[in-house]
Amino acid sequence: MGAWAENRGPGAFGAHGGRWERWERWERRRLPWASTLLLAVFVLVGTAFAARGQHSQRLPLDNYARLLLLAGPALLLFRHRRPVVAVFGVSAIALVYFAAGYPYGPIFLTVGVACYAAIAAGHRRAAWWAVGSLWLGHLLIAHWLYRWLPPPHDRAAPWGQELVIAAFVVALCAASELVRVRREQWAREGAERRAAEKRRQDEERLRIARELHDVLAHSISVINVQAGVGLALLDSDPEQARTALTTIKAASKEALGEVRQVLDTLRTPGDAPRAPAPGLDRLPELVEQAAGAGLTVEIVRDGRRIALPPGTDLAAFRIIQEALTNVVRHSGSRTARVRLGYAPGLLELLIDDAGPATGGDAGGSGNGLVGMRERAAALGGTIEAGPGPVGGFRVRATLPLPGPGLPPEEPV
């Protein structure tokens, strides 16, 4: 079950969130050499082209300028591991580059990449502070400090240029925020899908555990009773002992068949079962098995019988089976009465025995009533178990039924 559930785990459904998280972990473990080298080449070549039209306004590129242009991409190598350091460092390098009077160019691109990496990593405030400080620093340089900074005889930059730069900064941060929000949404959706998958796997485990419990508890109770009868009568009444052994063989064969059917759903998940799930049409077999354990069962039906949905049919059968198993194990009574009441939108099951309780240890896990309640609750029904109105013990189950969409069967 564990291997099957693991193979159908969160990675199996191809969610954006799962793939994105795996990509993020891989990105954090490696340095982005290829993209950073490509960016460095683009910044150097692009700035060289941009400098051709700025000879009269800015200083020509020299080795110090090229060193500054390469320092930014060098810091970007650590943008996944240290995004805050990268965004502040790249912004400071760009500010020094502009203060030195070198030509404008694609150095802005390194700031954009660092800003995006910081915001995508969740360091929004650091990214906004770094880019905002760069813009304010550029304002000071372009409108006040230019008198004392190279190039000589520089003039104040037009305010229209500052508006363009401000619009670029805002657009850059807004785009980074949108990407961050989308990534968080993918991660949240992936977490929700994984939680839903885990709940589905847990529900499947509980369903299989209930099926195995109900099948084995009933059959082994019958086998236990008949084995005791066979041992007691082996010498004095060999024919009766033979009958007990025949009952044991039939009960064990039935249990093996149902266990195999449950296990088939593990080996081939999603396939249709090879045999139909048991339902109330198998009550005669259940009565016969109970008779083999020395319990006489009376079946009474009230109301107009209708065809039940498969899940309700199976739950009703298992609840009756578990209730009769408990009578065999824990009651001194050798008779039980099962009443099936069909009402509009409701199926009521009453299983009564006359008692008294034996008070002995009859084996079992003690999960029978829990399993019955889980089956009923899964269908929106309820289970009540306790002393009966005239002694003994009573199990009362109510299971909701669908509306009048299903055709009624003949009156019973």
Side-chain angles (χ1 to χ4, degrees):
M1 176 65 187
W4 169 72
E6 199 168 303
N7 291 337
R8 293 172 59 88
F13 48 78
H16 286 295
R19 290 200 302 269
W20 194 276
E21 287 178 356
R22 289 194 295 273
W23 179 84
E24 279 185 320
R25 289 194 296 268
W26 179 72
E27 280 289 312
R28 284 194 294 267
R29 287 196 299 268
R30 60 181 283 275
L31 294 177
W33 288 100
S35 60
T36 303
L37 180 61
L38 182 63
L39 181 63
V41 172
F42 180 81
V43 168
L44 284 174
V45 175
T47 305
F49 275 103
R52 294 179 179 180
Q54 303 178 51
H55 285 304
S56 59
Q57 299 95 7
R58 312 295 292 176
L59 294 179
L61 291 176
D62 55 17
N63 290 334
Y64 181 63
R66 294 185 180 91
L67 181 63
L68 289 174
L69 291 175
L70 289 174
L75 274 178
L76 289 180
L77 280 172
F78 305 96
R79 64 184 182 269
H80 298 311
R81 296 183 179 180
R82 298 288 185 271
V84 175
V85 173
V87 71
F88 274 105
V90 169
S91 299
I93 290 170
L95 192 59
V96 171
Y97 176 87
F98 294 133
Y102 292 119
Y104 290 99
I107 191 172
F108 280 114
L109 189 58
T110 61
V111 179
V113 172
C115 177
Y116 164 74
I119 290 179
H123 302 284
R124 305 166 57 196
R125 185 173 298 178
W128 282 91
W129 270 107
V131 177
S133 299
L134 173 60
W135 182 65
L136 289 175
H138 181 268
L139 277 180
L140 288 174
I141 293 170
H143 295 276
W144 182 42
L145 299 177
Y146 69 92
R147 301 180 181 88
W148 301 280
L149 295 174
H153 312 296
D154 194 10
R155 291 176 299 176
W159 282 102
Q161 173 183 296
E162 301 304 329
L163 293 177
V164 172
I165 295 175
F168 170 78
V169 169
V170 172
L172 172 66
C173 293
S176 301
E177 288 285 356
L178 287 176
V179 174
R180 179 191 63 81
V181 169
R182 183 56 180 160
R183 291 173 69 175
E184 289 180 353
Q185 181 181 355
W186 281 345
R188 186 165 55 251
E189 291 173 354
E192 291 173 355
R193 278 188 287 266
R194 288 191 293 275
E197 180 71 8
K198 186 177 184 302
R199 285 195 300 271
R200 192 197 63 77
Q201 292 172 4
D202 291 342
E203 291 170 358
E204 182 70 5
R205 291 189 186 99
L206 287 175
R207 184 191 69 80
I208 292 169
R210 284 196 299 266
E211 286 293 308
L212 290 175
H213 173 273
D214 292 347
V215 169
L216 295 177
H218 177 76
S219 300
I220 290 177
S221 295
V222 173
I223 290 171
N224 181 59
V225 171
Q226 291 300 316
V229 172
L231 286 174
L233 300 177
L234 185 61
D235 296 325
S236 61
D237 192 346
E239 190 61 33
Q240 187 65 28
R242 182 186 299 274
T243 302
L245 292 175
T246 302
T247 303
I248 290 174
K249 180 180 178 181
S252 60
K253 181 180 179 181
E254 177 74 17
L256 285 174
E258 295 204 29
V259 169
R260 188 177 296 113
Q261 180 182 344
V262 172
L263 295 180
D264 280 344
T265 64
L266 300 183
R267 298 190 184 100
T268 55
D271 291 352
R274 299 180 183 179
L280 294 181
D281 58 335
R282 289 183 54 181
L283 276 183
E285 297 177 29
L286 194 59
V287 171
E288 185 178 349
Q289 290 177 1
L295 181 67
T296 301
V297 180
E298 177 188 5
I299 304 293
V300 178
R301 291 184 173 90
D302 294 335
R304 184 179 181 84
R305 184 180 175 186
I306 65 171
L308 301 177
T312 305
D313 205 18
L314 173 63
F317 177 83
R318 293 302 189 200
I319 289 171
I320 295 173
Q321 184 183 52
E322 179 61 29
L324 294 180
T325 300
N326 288 338
V327 174
V328 172
R329 282 177 172 173
H330 307 296
S331 177
S333 174
R334 294 298 87 196
T335 60
R337 186 172 185 266
V338 177
R339 176 183 172 273
L340 289 79
Y342 295 89
L346 189 70
L347 173 65
E348 183 182 59
L349 306 175
L350 288 176
I351 301 95
D352 292 290
D353 70 89
T358 58
D361 183 7
S365 63
N367 293 323
L369 287 175
V370 174
M372 285 193 286
R373 288 193 175 95
E374 289 175 350
R375 285 186 183 277
L379 298 170
T382 59
I383 289 284
E384 298 174 7
V390 291
F393 198 80
R394 163 174 284 187
V395 174
R396 180 177 182 271
T398 56
L399 304 177
L401 298 178
L406 293 175
E409 296 183 356
E410 72 282 355
V412 178

